[in-house]
Amino acid sequence: VREVVVDAQEWDERYREKELVWSAGPNVFVEEELADLPPGRALDLAAGEGRNAIWLAERGWEVEAVEFSPVAIDKGRALAERRGVDVTWTEADLTLDPALEPADLVLIAYLQMSWDPFNGVLAHATSLLKPCGVLLVIAHARRNLEYGYGGPQDPALLPEPEPVAALLTDGGLVVDRAGEVVRRVESDEGTREAVDLLVRAHRPGMSRV
Ligand SMILES: C[S@@+](CC[C@H](N)C(=O)[O-])C[C@H]1O[C@@H](n2cnc3c(N)ncnc32)[C@H](O)[C@@H]1O
């Protein structure tokens, strides 16, 4: 059972504990949802060690990875260098609405926090999306508590798709997909399933291609 980690110092400690806390390759839903998008400028918010940011950079995206743990950023920077790609790393607390340039893709993966401030982060992410830009939100879902493996065990940190979709709609986005998806996890007890939230939306506008 994972502890609830709340501030940058605690995240730093967790990132110091082992070489890679997350995988070196991208999250399965990031890959499925984004592999066909034409590259542009991407923001990876709460990028961790950069597994998704680096994968996007390898596909030709100009990526800015935003993260509040300096240890995670150092690890991400080293990983990007080893993989031979450029990623811009920005140390910032997302709950403080950091000033960022608009992007064609905004990704938020597994940023587990209570609805307030999470709703503020989502609203800020929405405001950073260019016309035709795509916003992808992936998280451990509330239903994971009952039906899935791993993730935070506090329901307050586990969002549900409906309020996320409603907030993005209020921000002028068109929601293309909002629901739950099942991810296979290799654990010490064998292969298990985790229930994730997946919300994908875009800002209407003229096509970039
Ligand atoms: C579960 S990890 C996910 C990392 C990455 N998105 C991935 O999928 O590999 C959550 C990340 O959110 C970061 N984080 C948590 N709260 C944050 C905040 N307020 N501002 C910026 N980053 C934050 C943590 O440091 C951690 O790296």
Side-chain angles (χ1 to χ4, degrees), residues 2 5-8 11 14-15 22 27 44-52 66-69 72 92-95 108-113 121 140:
R2 202 175 280 174
V5 183
V6 287
D7 61 26
W11 273 108
R14 184 149 179 218
Y15 280 120
W22 318 115
N27 168 260
D44 182 3
L45 303 183
E49 296 150 325
R51 58 179 177 157
N52 300 315
V66 183
E67 172 52 61
F68 75 176
S69 158
D93 183 339
L94 290 163
T95 62
I108 305 179
Y110 305 99
L111 175 61
Q112 307 293 148
M113 45 172 65
V121 175
H140 299 286

PDB file of all heavy atoms in Angstrom, residues 2 5-8 11 14-15 22 27 44-52 66-69 72 92-95 108-113 121 140, ligand 1:
ATOM      1  N   ARG A   2       0.588   2.143  -0.934  1.00  0.00           N
ATOM      2  CA  ARG A   2       1.409   3.329  -1.083  1.00  0.00           C
ATOM      3  C   ARG A   2       0.998   4.392  -0.063  1.00  0.00           C
ATOM      4  O   ARG A   2      -0.171   4.589   0.194  1.00  0.00           O
ATOM      5  CB  ARG A   2       1.150   3.870  -2.490  1.00  0.00           C
ATOM      6  CG  ARG A   2       2.237   4.729  -3.002  1.00  0.00           C
ATOM      7  CD  ARG A   2       1.929   5.107  -4.417  1.00  0.00           C
ATOM      8  NE  ARG A   2       2.257   4.045  -5.345  1.00  0.00           N
ATOM      9  CZ  ARG A   2       1.962   4.095  -6.630  1.00  0.00           C
ATOM     10  NH1 ARG A   2       1.306   5.102  -7.122  1.00  0.00           N
ATOM     11  NH2 ARG A   2       2.307   3.114  -7.428  1.00  0.00           N
ATOM     12  N   VAL A   5       1.843  10.845  -0.396  1.00  0.00           N
ATOM     13  CA  VAL A   5       2.995  11.735  -0.450  1.00  0.00           C
ATOM     14  C   VAL A   5       2.479  13.092  -0.900  1.00  0.00           C
ATOM     15  O   VAL A   5       1.794  13.197  -1.900  1.00  0.00           O
ATOM     16  CB  VAL A   5       4.039  11.208  -1.454  1.00  0.00           C
ATOM     17  CG1 VAL A   5       5.255  12.091  -1.467  1.00  0.00           C
ATOM     18  CG2 VAL A   5       4.420   9.785  -1.117  1.00  0.00           C
ATOM     19  N   VAL A   6       2.760  14.129  -0.131  1.00  0.00           N
ATOM     20  CA  VAL A   6       2.102  15.392  -0.434  1.00  0.00           C
ATOM     21  C   VAL A   6       3.005  16.527  -0.897  1.00  0.00           C
ATOM     22  O   VAL A   6       2.610  17.295  -1.767  1.00  0.00           O
ATOM     23  CB  VAL A   6       1.262  15.901   0.762  1.00  0.00           C
ATOM     24  CG1 VAL A   6       0.005  15.080   0.921  1.00  0.00           C
ATOM     25  CG2 VAL A   6       2.057  15.916   2.040  1.00  0.00           C
ATOM     26  N   ASP A   7       4.200  16.652  -0.331  1.00  0.00           N
ATOM     27  CA  ASP A   7       4.962  17.825  -0.733  1.00  0.00           C
ATOM     28  C   ASP A   7       6.236  17.440  -1.498  1.00  0.00           C
ATOM     29  O   ASP A   7       6.590  16.269  -1.609  1.00  0.00           O
ATOM     30  CB  ASP A   7       5.249  18.747   0.452  1.00  0.00           C
ATOM     31  CG  ASP A   7       6.062  18.064   1.538  1.00  0.00           C
ATOM     32  OD1 ASP A   7       6.799  17.120   1.200  1.00  0.00           O
ATOM     33  OD2 ASP A   7       5.967  18.472   2.705  1.00  0.00           O
ATOM     34  N   ALA A   8       6.902  18.461  -2.012  1.00  0.00           N
ATOM     35  CA  ALA A   8       8.051  18.234  -2.889  1.00  0.00           C
ATOM     36  C   ALA A   8       9.169  17.500  -2.146  1.00  0.00           C
ATOM     37  O   ALA A   8       9.838  16.640  -2.716  1.00  0.00           O
ATOM     38  CB  ALA A   8       8.546  19.568  -3.446  1.00  0.00           C
ATOM     39  N   TRP A  11       8.341  13.874  -1.984  1.00  0.00           N
ATOM     40  CA  TRP A  11       8.545  13.280  -3.310  1.00  0.00           C
ATOM     41  C   TRP A  11      10.038  13.108  -3.586  1.00  0.00           C
ATOM     42  O   TRP A  11      10.463  12.087  -4.122  1.00  0.00           O
ATOM     43  CB  TRP A  11       7.881  14.121  -4.405  1.00  0.00           C
ATOM     44  CG  TRP A  11       6.442  13.741  -4.593  1.00  0.00           C
ATOM     45  CD1 TRP A  11       5.352  14.458  -4.228  1.00  0.00           C
ATOM     46  CD2 TRP A  11       5.945  12.518  -5.191  1.00  0.00           C
ATOM     47  NE1 TRP A  11       4.208  13.756  -4.551  1.00  0.00           N
ATOM     48  CE2 TRP A  11       4.541  12.583  -5.142  1.00  0.00           C
ATOM     49  CE3 TRP A  11       6.551  11.393  -5.741  1.00  0.00           C
ATOM     50  CZ2 TRP A  11       3.726  11.555  -5.635  1.00  0.00           C
ATOM     51  CZ3 TRP A  11       5.748  10.371  -6.239  1.00  0.00           C
ATOM     52  CH2 TRP A  11       4.354  10.463  -6.182  1.00  0.00           C
ATOM     53  N   ARG A  14      11.196  10.029  -1.919  1.00  0.00           N
ATOM     54  CA  ARG A  14      10.727   8.830  -2.616  1.00  0.00           C
ATOM     55  C   ARG A  14      11.555   8.599  -3.890  1.00  0.00           C
ATOM     56  O   ARG A  14      11.909   7.467  -4.211  1.00  0.00           O
ATOM     57  CB  ARG A  14       9.253   9.040  -2.968  1.00  0.00           C
ATOM     58  CG  ARG A  14       8.672   7.844  -3.586  1.00  0.00           C
ATOM     59  CD  ARG A  14       7.208   7.710  -3.268  1.00  0.00           C
ATOM     60  NE  ARG A  14       6.740   6.514  -3.953  1.00  0.00           N
ATOM     61  CZ  ARG A  14       5.573   6.411  -4.527  1.00  0.00           C
ATOM     62  NH1 ARG A  14       4.716   7.404  -4.475  1.00  0.00           N
ATOM     63  NH2 ARG A  14       5.239   5.302  -5.147  1.00  0.00           N
ATOM     64  N   TYR A  15      11.869   9.687  -4.596  1.00  0.00           N
ATOM     65  CA  TYR A  15      12.648   9.547  -5.831  1.00  0.00           C
ATOM     66  C   TYR A  15      14.092   9.146  -5.566  1.00  0.00           C
ATOM     67  O   TYR A  15      14.738   8.560  -6.419  1.00  0.00           O
ATOM     68  CB  TYR A  15      12.575  10.839  -6.660  1.00  0.00           C
ATOM     69  CG  TYR A  15      11.282  10.951  -7.446  1.00  0.00           C
ATOM     70  CD1 TYR A  15      10.397  12.004  -7.253  1.00  0.00           C
ATOM     71  CD2 TYR A  15      10.940   9.983  -8.392  1.00  0.00           C
ATOM     72  CE1 TYR A  15       9.212  12.091  -7.968  1.00  0.00           C
ATOM     73  CE2 TYR A  15       9.759  10.062  -9.113  1.00  0.00           C
ATOM     74  CZ  TYR A  15       8.897  11.118  -8.895  1.00  0.00           C
ATOM     75  OH  TYR A  15       7.725  11.188  -9.610  1.00  0.00           O
ATOM     76  N   TRP A  22       9.112   5.039 -11.433  1.00  0.00           N
ATOM     77  CA  TRP A  22       8.175   4.646 -12.493  1.00  0.00           C
ATOM     78  C   TRP A  22       8.966   3.936 -13.584  1.00  0.00           C
ATOM     79  O   TRP A  22      10.167   3.737 -13.468  1.00  0.00           O
ATOM     80  CB  TRP A  22       7.414   5.865 -13.027  1.00  0.00           C
ATOM     81  CG  TRP A  22       6.973   6.779 -11.922  1.00  0.00           C
ATOM     82  CD1 TRP A  22       7.383   8.053 -11.702  1.00  0.00           C
ATOM     83  CD2 TRP A  22       6.069   6.475 -10.833  1.00  0.00           C
ATOM     84  NE1 TRP A  22       6.802   8.561 -10.558  1.00  0.00           N
ATOM     85  CE2 TRP A  22       5.998   7.620 -10.022  1.00  0.00           C
ATOM     86  CE3 TRP A  22       5.319   5.345 -10.484  1.00  0.00           C
ATOM     87  CZ2 TRP A  22       5.204   7.668  -8.868  1.00  0.00           C
ATOM     88  CZ3 TRP A  22       4.526   5.394  -9.340  1.00  0.00           C
ATOM     89  CH2 TRP A  22       4.473   6.526  -8.553  1.00  0.00           C
ATOM     90  N   ASN A  27       3.643   5.427 -20.151  1.00  0.00           N
ATOM     91  CA  ASN A  27       2.422   4.804 -19.662  1.00  0.00           C
ATOM     92  C   ASN A  27       1.637   4.271 -20.861  1.00  0.00           C
ATOM     93  O   ASN A  27       1.587   4.897 -21.922  1.00  0.00           O
ATOM     94  CB  ASN A  27       1.606   5.869 -18.913  1.00  0.00           C
ATOM     95  CG  ASN A  27       0.197   5.414 -18.625  1.00  0.00           C
ATOM     96  OD1 ASN A  27      -0.734   5.792 -19.337  1.00  0.00           O
ATOM     97  ND2 ASN A  27       0.023   4.603 -17.608  1.00  0.00           N
ATOM     98  N   ASP A  44       4.050  18.436 -20.126  1.00  0.00           N
ATOM     99  CA  ASP A  44       3.801  17.272 -19.279  1.00  0.00           C
ATOM    100  C   ASP A  44       3.788  17.788 -17.840  1.00  0.00           C
ATOM    101  O   ASP A  44       4.835  18.147 -17.297  1.00  0.00           O
ATOM    102  CB  ASP A  44       4.889  16.218 -19.498  1.00  0.00           C
ATOM    103  CG  ASP A  44       4.650  14.956 -18.673  1.00  0.00           C
ATOM    104  OD1 ASP A  44       3.617  14.874 -17.986  1.00  0.00           O
ATOM    105  OD2 ASP A  44       5.509  14.052 -18.734  1.00  0.00           O
ATOM    106  N   LEU A  45       2.601  17.893 -17.258  1.00  0.00           N
ATOM    107  CA  LEU A  45       2.457  18.488 -15.928  1.00  0.00           C
ATOM    108  C   LEU A  45       2.560  17.391 -14.867  1.00  0.00           C
ATOM    109  O   LEU A  45       1.861  16.381 -14.959  1.00  0.00           O
ATOM    110  CB  LEU A  45       1.107  19.213 -15.819  1.00  0.00           C
ATOM    111  CG  LEU A  45       0.855  20.308 -16.878  1.00  0.00           C
ATOM    112  CD1 LEU A  45      -0.492  20.996 -16.624  1.00  0.00           C
ATOM    113  CD2 LEU A  45       1.976  21.338 -16.919  1.00  0.00           C
ATOM    114  N   ALA A  46       3.419  17.595 -13.872  1.00  0.00           N
ATOM    115  CA  ALA A  46       3.744  16.571 -12.875  1.00  0.00           C
ATOM    116  C   ALA A  46       4.426  15.400 -13.573  1.00  0.00           C
ATOM    117  O   ALA A  46       4.007  14.252 -13.497  1.00  0.00           O
ATOM    118  CB  ALA A  46       2.512  16.106 -12.093  1.00  0.00           C
ATOM    119  N   ALA A  47       5.526  15.725 -14.246  1.00  0.00           N
ATOM    120  CA  ALA A  47       6.187  14.800 -15.175  1.00  0.00           C
ATOM    121  C   ALA A  47       6.974  13.692 -14.495  1.00  0.00           C
ATOM    122  O   ALA A  47       7.368  12.722 -15.141  1.00  0.00           O
ATOM    123  CB  ALA A  47       7.114  15.589 -16.093  1.00  0.00           C
ATOM    124  N   GLY A  48       7.231  13.816 -13.190  1.00  0.00           N
ATOM    125  CA  GLY A  48       8.016  12.788 -12.497  1.00  0.00           C
ATOM    126  C   GLY A  48       9.397  12.658 -13.119  1.00  0.00           C
ATOM    127  O   GLY A  48      10.080  13.658 -13.381  1.00  0.00           O
ATOM    128  N   GLU A  49       9.823  11.426 -13.358  1.00  0.00           N
ATOM    129  CA  GLU A  49      11.147  11.166 -13.949  1.00  0.00           C
ATOM    130  C   GLU A  49      11.108  11.280 -15.468  1.00  0.00           C
ATOM    131  O   GLU A  49      12.076  10.934 -16.143  1.00  0.00           O
ATOM    132  CB  GLU A  49      11.622   9.770 -13.545  1.00  0.00           C
ATOM    133  CG  GLU A  49      11.839   9.612 -12.062  1.00  0.00           C
ATOM    134  CD  GLU A  49      11.585   8.180 -11.591  1.00  0.00           C
ATOM    135  OE1 GLU A  49      10.674   7.515 -12.140  1.00  0.00           O
ATOM    136  OE2 GLU A  49      12.291   7.725 -10.688  1.00  0.00           O
ATOM    137  N   GLY A  50       9.984  11.696 -16.000  1.00  0.00           N
ATOM    138  CA  GLY A  50       9.919  12.066 -17.411  1.00  0.00           C
ATOM    139  C   GLY A  50       9.662  10.948 -18.404  1.00  0.00           C
ATOM    140  O   GLY A  50       9.873  11.131 -19.602  1.00  0.00           O
ATOM    141  N   ARG A  51       9.146   9.789 -17.938  1.00  0.00           N
ATOM    142  CA  ARG A  51       8.965   8.675 -18.887  1.00  0.00           C
ATOM    143  C   ARG A  51       8.082   9.077 -20.083  1.00  0.00           C
ATOM    144  O   ARG A  51       8.376   8.710 -21.226  1.00  0.00           O
ATOM    145  CB  ARG A  51       8.372   7.449 -18.186  1.00  0.00           C
ATOM    146  CG  ARG A  51       7.026   7.732 -17.522  1.00  0.00           C
ATOM    147  CD  ARG A  51       6.453   6.510 -16.861  1.00  0.00           C
ATOM    148  NE  ARG A  51       5.202   6.837 -16.177  1.00  0.00           N
ATOM    149  CZ  ARG A  51       4.268   5.969 -15.892  1.00  0.00           C
ATOM    150  NH1 ARG A  51       4.405   4.711 -16.225  1.00  0.00           N
ATOM    151  NH2 ARG A  51       3.173   6.334 -15.254  1.00  0.00           N
ATOM    152  N   ASN A  52       7.025   9.859 -19.815  1.00  0.00           N
ATOM    153  CA  ASN A  52       6.119  10.247 -20.898  1.00  0.00           C
ATOM    154  C   ASN A  52       6.686  11.416 -21.705  1.00  0.00           C
ATOM    155  O   ASN A  52       6.569  11.450 -22.931  1.00  0.00           O
ATOM    156  CB  ASN A  52       4.739  10.603 -20.330  1.00  0.00           C
ATOM    157  CG  ASN A  52       4.124   9.417 -19.605  1.00  0.00           C
ATOM    158  OD1 ASN A  52       4.152   8.300 -20.107  1.00  0.00           O
ATOM    159  ND2 ASN A  52       3.577   9.663 -18.418  1.00  0.00           N
ATOM    160  N   VAL A  66       6.976  19.792 -16.402  1.00  0.00           N
ATOM    161  CA  VAL A  66       6.828  20.618 -15.203  1.00  0.00           C
ATOM    162  C   VAL A  66       6.673  19.691 -13.997  1.00  0.00           C
ATOM    163  O   VAL A  66       5.874  18.746 -14.034  1.00  0.00           O
ATOM    164  CB  VAL A  66       5.601  21.553 -15.333  1.00  0.00           C
ATOM    165  CG1 VAL A  66       5.493  22.469 -14.116  1.00  0.00           C
ATOM    166  CG2 VAL A  66       5.681  22.363 -16.631  1.00  0.00           C
ATOM    167  N   GLU A  67       7.420  19.979 -12.954  1.00  0.00           N
ATOM    168  CA  GLU A  67       7.485  19.046 -11.822  1.00  0.00           C
ATOM    169  C   GLU A  67       7.992  19.823 -10.611  1.00  0.00           C
ATOM    170  O   GLU A  67       8.816  20.708 -10.762  1.00  0.00           O
ATOM    171  CB  GLU A  67       8.450  17.919 -12.227  1.00  0.00           C
ATOM    172  CG  GLU A  67       8.864  16.915 -11.217  1.00  0.00           C
ATOM    173  CD  GLU A  67       7.767  16.219 -10.436  1.00  0.00           C
ATOM    174  OE1 GLU A  67       6.924  15.535 -11.030  1.00  0.00           O
ATOM    175  OE2 GLU A  67       7.768  16.367  -9.213  1.00  0.00           O
ATOM    176  N   PHE A  68       7.497  19.502  -9.395  1.00  0.00           N
ATOM    177  CA  PHE A  68       7.986  20.254  -8.234  1.00  0.00           C
ATOM    178  C   PHE A  68       9.087  19.551  -7.453  1.00  0.00           C
ATOM    179  O   PHE A  68       9.629  20.120  -6.500  1.00  0.00           O
ATOM    180  CB  PHE A  68       6.858  20.779  -7.337  1.00  0.00           C
ATOM    181  CG  PHE A  68       6.132  19.811  -6.438  1.00  0.00           C
ATOM    182  CD1 PHE A  68       5.168  20.296  -5.552  1.00  0.00           C
ATOM    183  CD2 PHE A  68       6.378  18.450  -6.452  1.00  0.00           C
ATOM    184  CE1 PHE A  68       4.475  19.438  -4.698  1.00  0.00           C
ATOM    185  CE2 PHE A  68       5.692  17.584  -5.608  1.00  0.00           C
ATOM    186  CZ  PHE A  68       4.748  18.084  -4.730  1.00  0.00           C
ATOM    187  N   SER A  69       9.440  18.309  -7.834  1.00  0.00           N
ATOM    188  CA  SER A  69      10.527  17.605  -7.138  1.00  0.00           C
ATOM    189  C   SER A  69      11.840  17.767  -7.908  1.00  0.00           C
ATOM    190  O   SER A  69      11.993  17.232  -9.007  1.00  0.00           O
ATOM    191  CB  SER A  69      10.183  16.112  -7.013  1.00  0.00           C
ATOM    192  OG  SER A  69      11.356  15.349  -6.835  1.00  0.00           O
ATOM    193  N   ALA A  72      13.385  14.425  -8.942  1.00  0.00           N
ATOM    194  CA  ALA A  72      12.765  13.825 -10.128  1.00  0.00           C
ATOM    195  C   ALA A  72      13.276  14.508 -11.395  1.00  0.00           C
ATOM    196  O   ALA A  72      13.588  13.845 -12.389  1.00  0.00           O
ATOM    197  CB  ALA A  72      11.241  13.945 -10.036  1.00  0.00           C
ATOM    198  N   ALA A  92       8.256  23.718 -10.739  1.00  0.00           N
ATOM    199  CA  ALA A  92       7.142  24.584 -10.323  1.00  0.00           C
ATOM    200  C   ALA A  92       6.093  23.761  -9.604  1.00  0.00           C
ATOM    201  O   ALA A  92       5.915  22.572  -9.868  1.00  0.00           O
ATOM    202  CB  ALA A  92       6.515  25.257 -11.550  1.00  0.00           C
ATOM    203  N   ASP A  93       5.397  24.429  -8.699  1.00  0.00           N
ATOM    204  CA  ASP A  93       4.268  23.819  -7.998  1.00  0.00           C
ATOM    205  C   ASP A  93       3.009  24.127  -8.802  1.00  0.00           C
ATOM    206  O   ASP A  93       2.623  25.289  -8.978  1.00  0.00           O
ATOM    207  CB  ASP A  93       4.168  24.427  -6.585  1.00  0.00           C
ATOM    208  CG  ASP A  93       3.056  23.791  -5.767  1.00  0.00           C
ATOM    209  OD1 ASP A  93       2.123  23.193  -6.351  1.00  0.00           O
ATOM    210  OD2 ASP A  93       3.111  23.911  -4.531  1.00  0.00           O
ATOM    211  N   LEU A  94       2.376  23.080  -9.282  1.00  0.00           N
ATOM    212  CA  LEU A  94       1.230  23.267 -10.176  1.00  0.00           C
ATOM    213  C   LEU A  94       0.017  23.865  -9.479  1.00  0.00           C
ATOM    214  O   LEU A  94      -0.877  24.389 -10.142  1.00  0.00           O
ATOM    215  CB  LEU A  94       0.855  21.929 -10.814  1.00  0.00           C
ATOM    216  CG  LEU A  94       1.895  21.455 -11.826  1.00  0.00           C
ATOM    217  CD1 LEU A  94       1.722  19.980 -12.125  1.00  0.00           C
ATOM    218  CD2 LEU A  94       1.792  22.283 -13.106  1.00  0.00           C
ATOM    219  N   THR A  95      -0.014  23.788  -8.154  1.00  0.00           N
ATOM    220  CA  THR A  95      -1.166  24.366  -7.467  1.00  0.00           C
ATOM    221  C   THR A  95      -1.069  25.899  -7.424  1.00  0.00           C
ATOM    222  O   THR A  95      -2.008  26.567  -7.013  1.00  0.00           O
ATOM    223  CB  THR A  95      -1.292  23.838  -6.018  1.00  0.00           C
ATOM    224  OG1 THR A  95      -0.129  24.229  -5.291  1.00  0.00           O
ATOM    225  CG2 THR A  95      -1.427  22.321  -5.997  1.00  0.00           C
ATOM    226  N   ILE A 108      -1.520  15.258 -18.101  1.00  0.00           N
ATOM    227  CA  ILE A 108      -1.446  15.156 -16.630  1.00  0.00           C
ATOM    228  C   ILE A 108      -1.627  13.680 -16.294  1.00  0.00           C
ATOM    229  O   ILE A 108      -2.711  13.125 -16.507  1.00  0.00           O
ATOM    230  CB  ILE A 108      -2.565  15.965 -15.938  1.00  0.00           C
ATOM    231  CG1 ILE A 108      -2.549  17.430 -16.390  1.00  0.00           C
ATOM    232  CG2 ILE A 108      -2.423  15.876 -14.419  1.00  0.00           C
ATOM    233  CD1 ILE A 108      -3.653  18.281 -15.766  1.00  0.00           C
ATOM    234  N   ALA A 109      -0.571  13.037 -15.818  1.00  0.00           N
ATOM    235  CA  ALA A 109      -0.649  11.601 -15.541  1.00  0.00           C
ATOM    236  C   ALA A 109      -0.359  11.330 -14.067  1.00  0.00           C
ATOM    237  O   ALA A 109       0.734  11.632 -13.574  1.00  0.00           O
ATOM    238  CB  ALA A 109       0.323  10.827 -16.435  1.00  0.00           C
ATOM    239  N   TYR A 110      -1.327  10.778 -13.382  1.00  0.00           N
ATOM    240  CA  TYR A 110      -1.198  10.312 -11.999  1.00  0.00           C
ATOM    241  C   TYR A 110      -0.792  11.410 -11.020  1.00  0.00           C
ATOM    242  O   TYR A 110       0.010  11.190 -10.126  1.00  0.00           O
ATOM    243  CB  TYR A 110      -0.235   9.110 -11.919  1.00  0.00           C
ATOM    244  CG  TYR A 110      -0.660   7.997 -12.852  1.00  0.00           C
ATOM    245  CD1 TYR A 110      -0.059   7.823 -14.103  1.00  0.00           C
ATOM    246  CD2 TYR A 110      -1.708   7.148 -12.503  1.00  0.00           C
ATOM    247  CE1 TYR A 110      -0.475   6.824 -14.983  1.00  0.00           C
ATOM    248  CE2 TYR A 110      -2.125   6.148 -13.385  1.00  0.00           C
ATOM    249  CZ  TYR A 110      -1.504   5.992 -14.613  1.00  0.00           C
ATOM    250  OH  TYR A 110      -1.920   5.021 -15.473  1.00  0.00           O
ATOM    251  N   LEU A 111      -1.350  12.599 -11.217  1.00  0.00           N
ATOM    252  CA  LEU A 111      -1.198  13.667 -10.224  1.00  0.00           C
ATOM    253  C   LEU A 111      -2.374  13.504  -9.258  1.00  0.00           C
ATOM    254  O   LEU A 111      -3.483  13.954  -9.535  1.00  0.00           O
ATOM    255  CB  LEU A 111      -1.240  15.038 -10.921  1.00  0.00           C
ATOM    256  CG  LEU A 111      -1.203  16.259  -9.997  1.00  0.00           C
ATOM    257  CD1 LEU A 111       0.073  16.279  -9.177  1.00  0.00           C
ATOM    258  CD2 LEU A 111      -1.337  17.555 -10.793  1.00  0.00           C
ATOM    259  N   GLN A 112      -2.120  12.790  -8.167  1.00  0.00           N
ATOM    260  CA  GLN A 112      -3.216  12.443  -7.249  1.00  0.00           C
ATOM    261  C   GLN A 112      -3.276  13.466  -6.121  1.00  0.00           C
ATOM    262  O   GLN A 112      -2.383  13.518  -5.284  1.00  0.00           O
ATOM    263  CB  GLN A 112      -2.985  11.037  -6.676  1.00  0.00           C
ATOM    264  CG  GLN A 112      -2.745   9.964  -7.710  1.00  0.00           C
ATOM    265  CD  GLN A 112      -3.909   9.607  -8.616  1.00  0.00           C
ATOM    266  OE1 GLN A 112      -3.730   9.249  -9.764  1.00  0.00           O
ATOM    267  NE2 GLN A 112      -5.125   9.712  -8.097  1.00  0.00           N
ATOM    268  N   MET A 113      -4.288  14.292  -6.121  1.00  0.00           N
ATOM    269  CA  MET A 113      -4.469  15.260  -5.029  1.00  0.00           C
ATOM    270  C   MET A 113      -5.957  15.447  -4.806  1.00  0.00           C
ATOM    271  O   MET A 113      -6.759  15.018  -5.630  1.00  0.00           O
ATOM    272  CB  MET A 113      -3.755  16.577  -5.331  1.00  0.00           C
ATOM    273  CG  MET A 113      -3.933  17.108  -6.727  1.00  0.00           C
ATOM    274  SD  MET A 113      -3.260  18.779  -6.977  1.00  0.00           S
ATOM    275  CE  MET A 113      -1.525  18.577  -6.742  1.00  0.00           C
ATOM    276  N   VAL A 121      -5.774  22.911 -10.834  1.00  0.00           N
ATOM    277  CA  VAL A 121      -4.716  22.478 -11.772  1.00  0.00           C
ATOM    278  C   VAL A 121      -5.349  22.152 -13.132  1.00  0.00           C
ATOM    279  O   VAL A 121      -4.824  22.534 -14.188  1.00  0.00           O
ATOM    280  CB  VAL A 121      -3.942  21.259 -11.211  1.00  0.00           C
ATOM    281  CG1 VAL A 121      -2.933  20.746 -12.234  1.00  0.00           C
ATOM    282  CG2 VAL A 121      -3.237  21.618  -9.903  1.00  0.00           C
ATOM    283  N   HIS A 140      -5.124   7.357 -11.133  1.00  0.00           N
ATOM    284  CA  HIS A 140      -5.727   6.222 -10.434  1.00  0.00           C
ATOM    285  C   HIS A 140      -7.165   6.636 -10.145  1.00  0.00           C
ATOM    286  O   HIS A 140      -7.406   7.728  -9.610  1.00  0.00           O
ATOM    287  CB  HIS A 140      -5.011   5.964  -9.104  1.00  0.00           C
ATOM    288  CG  HIS A 140      -3.554   5.637  -9.257  1.00  0.00           C
ATOM    289  ND1 HIS A 140      -3.110   4.424  -9.720  1.00  0.00           N
ATOM    290  CD2 HIS A 140      -2.445   6.362  -8.994  1.00  0.00           C
ATOM    291  CE1 HIS A 140      -1.781   4.421  -9.731  1.00  0.00           C
ATOM    292  NE2 HIS A 140      -1.355   5.590  -9.300  1.00  0.00           N
TER     293      HIS A 140
HETATM  294  C1  LIG B   1       2.647   9.493  -9.383  1.00  0.00           C
HETATM  295  S1  LIG B   1       3.853  10.616  -9.974  1.00  0.00           S
HETATM  296  C2  LIG B   1       3.559  10.572 -11.721  1.00  0.00           C
HETATM  297  C3  LIG B   1       4.717  11.056 -12.534  1.00  0.00           C
HETATM  298  C4  LIG B   1       4.518  11.056 -14.043  1.00  0.00           C
HETATM  299  N1  LIG B   1       3.383  11.856 -14.468  1.00  0.00           N
HETATM  300  C5  LIG B   1       4.374   9.653 -14.566  1.00  0.00           C
HETATM  301  O1  LIG B   1       3.279   9.276 -14.967  1.00  0.00           O
HETATM  302  O2  LIG B   1       5.383   8.941 -14.577  1.00  0.00           O
HETATM  303  C6  LIG B   1       3.162  12.177  -9.481  1.00  0.00           C
HETATM  304  C7  LIG B   1       4.132  13.341  -9.642  1.00  0.00           C
HETATM  305  O3  LIG B   1       3.456  14.562  -9.341  1.00  0.00           O
HETATM  306  C8  LIG B   1       4.390  15.426  -8.760  1.00  0.00           C
HETATM  307  N2  LIG B   1       3.610  16.449  -8.056  1.00  0.00           N
HETATM  308  C9  LIG B   1       2.752  16.255  -7.025  1.00  0.00           C
HETATM  309  N3  LIG B   1       2.199  17.422  -6.647  1.00  0.00           N
HETATM  310  C10 LIG B   1       2.733  18.385  -7.465  1.00  0.00           C
HETATM  311  C11 LIG B   1       2.562  19.785  -7.548  1.00  0.00           C
HETATM  312  N4  LIG B   1       1.760  20.442  -6.706  1.00  0.00           N
HETATM  313  N5  LIG B   1       3.258  20.460  -8.489  1.00  0.00           N
HETATM  314  C12 LIG B   1       4.105  19.799  -9.331  1.00  0.00           C
HETATM  315  N6  LIG B   1       4.310  18.475  -9.294  1.00  0.00           N
HETATM  316  C13 LIG B   1       3.626  17.769  -8.368  1.00  0.00           C
HETATM  317  C14 LIG B   1       5.219  14.527  -7.861  1.00  0.00           C
HETATM  318  O4  LIG B   1       6.474  15.075  -7.529  1.00  0.00           O
HETATM  319  C15 LIG B   1       5.334  13.281  -8.733  1.00  0.00           C
HETATM  320  O5  LIG B   1       6.492  13.330  -9.508  1.00  0.00           O
END
